[in-house]
């Protein structure tokens, strides 16, 4: 039954990464339930007490966020089984959720961004500079970057924009390009030699993959000593807007944080206004007796 459930998620348009996470969380739970109660038929005999005991066990071995997501994924699966008429009720319904302390996502300071760009200018090329600048100045996700086609990028002397045709959740959005992003894209495209319809290419492929982008960023992490990932660059974009008092609904639209009805999801962007670990460290350092 579980594979049928996974197939139903795939038909809903869930990404392969999401499907792998569902499988991983189910396997964690199923291994535990087998060790506790013996072999079960697809976990259909699970009770509310089983889920509560799993929550207590997992809370001693995994981070709260991991346990919380695991319980959410279990609940979605068992709700599907209820809808299929396989089980009478969802054993996760009355189990209290795990309290997860909200923390600020990792982002780069202005000095770290400058150090990164300086390293790319010294050791990289026009394509790498364009990739990193676009990620920093538009906040698009790595898959959205790889999916960009030439027709999705519009450049002019005074303005420009890029179009995300099929973002996360199948969402469409248009992001204005500032002067820095327009400049590096123009430089890159002027020397790019390929008949590919995609903006970012490699020597071996007409379309860059997320793994290739991650490999480039990992190179600069080693060169600079700064952790650099596509998500960190995305968070840096949103955080820079937040500290400049850009309205949260504007940040939400630029980042693609919208609800199913198209309205901004403000809850998703408030985290960019939260203090980082560095902010917390600076705060307590002020109390130091020195």
């Amino acid at each position: 039954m579980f594979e049928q459930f996974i197939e139903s998620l795939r038909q809903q348009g869930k990404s392969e990464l999401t499907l792998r996470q569902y499988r991983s969380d189910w396997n964690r739970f199923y291994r535990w339930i087998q060790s506790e109660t013996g072999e079960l038929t697809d976990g259909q005999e699970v009770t509310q007490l089983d889920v509560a005991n799993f929550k207590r066990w997992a809370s001693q071995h995994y981070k709260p966020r991991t346990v919380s997501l695991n319980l959410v994924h279990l609940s979605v699966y068992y709700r599907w089984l209820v809808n299929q008429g396989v089980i009478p009720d969802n054993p996760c319904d009355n189990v209290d959720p795990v309290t997860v302390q909200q923390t600020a996502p990792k982002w780069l300071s202005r000095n770290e961004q400058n150090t990164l760009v300086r390293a790319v200018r010294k050791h990289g090329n026009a394509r790498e500079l364009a990739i990193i600048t676009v990620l920093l100045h538009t906040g698009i996700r790595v898959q959205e970057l790889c999916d960009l086609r030439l027709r999705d990028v519009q450049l002019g002397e005074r303005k420009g924009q890029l179009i995300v045709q099929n973002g996360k959740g199948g969402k469409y959005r248009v992001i204005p390009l500032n002067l820095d992003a327009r400049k590096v894209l123009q430089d890159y495209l002027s020397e790019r030699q390929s008949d590919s319809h995609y903006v970012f290419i490699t020597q071996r492929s007409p379309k860059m993959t997320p793994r290739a982008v991650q490999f480039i960023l990992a190179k600069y992490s080693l060169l600079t000593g700064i952790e650099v990932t596509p998500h960190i660059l995305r968070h840096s974009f949103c955080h820079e807007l937040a500290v400049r008092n850009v309205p949260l609904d504007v940040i939400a639209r630029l980042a693609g944080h919208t609800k199913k009805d198209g309205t901004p999801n403000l809850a998703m962007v408030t985290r960019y206004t939260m203090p980082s670990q560095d902010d917390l460290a600076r705060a307590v350092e002020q109390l130091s007796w020195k």
Side-chain angles (χ1 to χ4, degrees):
M1 290 297 291
F2 186 75
E3 285 306 315
Q4 294 178 37
F5 164 69
I6 289 294
E7 184 57 33
S8 73
L9 294 180
R10 182 177 286 110
Q11 292 176 6
Q12 294 173 30
K14 301 295 184 183
S15 69
E16 288 302 317
L17 179 62
T18 298
L19 300 185
R20 286 198 297 271
Q21 185 64 62
Y22 268 95
R23 281 198 179 94
S24 175
D25 286 346
W26 171 251
N27 288 336
R28 179 185 298 121
F29 173 73
Y30 196 53
R31 286 193 301 269
W32 175 84
I33 200 71
Q34 284 180 315
S35 68
E36 291 292 308
T37 62
E39 186 71 31
L40 296 176
T41 305
D42 216 6
Q44 295 171 22
E45 298 89 341
V46 165
T47 66
Q48 179 182 337
L49 181 58
D50 289 329
V51 176
N53 286 337
F54 169 74
K55 171 190 165 185
R56 282 189 283 271
W57 171 83
S59 296
Q60 297 175 355
H61 295 84
Y62 299 95
K63 295 180 179 180
R65 192 174 301 278
T66 300
V67 180
S68 177
L69 183 60
N70 205 149
L71 293 176
V72 169
H73 286 170
L74 285 178
S75 183
V76 174
Y77 173 53
Y78 281 113
R79 190 183 311 128
W80 180 82
L81 288 178
V82 171
N83 293 337
Q84 297 297 309
V86 177
I87 58 176
D89 54 26
N90 186 340
C92 302
D93 274 352
N94 296 315
V95 177
D96 291 336
V98 176
T99 300
V100 179
Q101 182 181 15
Q102 290 294 318
T103 58
K106 172 70 176 175
W107 53 65
L108 302 185
S109 68
R110 293 289 283 182
N111 286 338
E112 288 173 329
Q113 293 177 42
N114 191 42
T115 298
L116 172 61
V117 172
R118 201 161 46 224
V120 180
R121 289 187 178 278
K122 181 178 180 180
H123 301 284
N125 53 38
R127 185 194 62 168
E128 293 177 348
L129 182 60
I131 288 172
I132 288 174
T133 303
V134 168
L135 290 173
L136 265 177
H137 288 260
T138 67
I140 61 175
R141 300 176 178 90
V142 64
Q143 187 62 62
E144 295 169 345
L145 178 91
C146 295
D147 289 342
L148 279 179
R149 292 167 296 182
L150 293 173
R151 70 182 187 182
D152 298 328
V153 177
Q154 301 170 11
L155 301 173
E157 288 187 10
R158 296 192 176 184
K159 63 180 181 179
Q161 63 182 25
L162 63 78
I163 301 172
V164 176
Q165 297 283 355
N166 187 29
K168 187 175 182 180
K171 297 171 184 174
Y172 171 100
R173 72 185 188 278
V174 179
I175 306 172
L177 293 170
N178 63 22
L179 178 61
D180 292 337
R182 296 199 306 272
K183 176 66 167 60
V184 297
L185 279 170
Q186 287 169 340
D187 291 345
Y188 162 63
L189 292 175
S190 67
E191 67 174 45
R192 172 184 175 276
Q193 296 181 350
S194 172
D195 56 2
S196 171
H197 297 300
Y198 292 96
V199 174
F200 294 107
I201 59 177
T202 68
Q203 292 181 342
R204 299 181 179 179
S205 173
K207 180 183 180 182
M208 179 164 275
T209 65
R211 186 176 181 84
V213 176
Q214 291 161 354
F215 180 81
I216 291 171
L217 298 186
K219 177 178 72 172
Y220 289 106
S221 290
L222 289 175
L223 284 171
T224 62
I226 300 170
E227 183 182 2
V228 184
T229 68
H231 242 59
I232 287 177
L233 297 184
R234 174 173 164 80
H235 293 160
S236 300
F237 168 78
C238 295
H239 177 67
E240 288 291 331
L241 294 176
V243 298
R244 284 164 173 72
N245 296 319
V246 174
L248 294 182
D249 59 335
V250 174
I251 301 175
R253 289 191 181 278
L254 290 171
H257 287 312
T258 54
K259 301 176 183 178
K260 290 184 178 180
D261 62 2
T263 58
N265 189 341
L266 301 184
M268 290 294 293
V269 294
T270 53
R271 57 183 180 160
Y272 298 115
T273 66
M274 298 174 62
S276 66
Q277 284 300 119
D278 289 341
D279 294 328
L280 299 179
R282 282 193 295 270
V284 298
E285 188 61 30
Q286 295 181 52
L287 304 179
S288 179
W289 292 333
K290 57 181 179 181

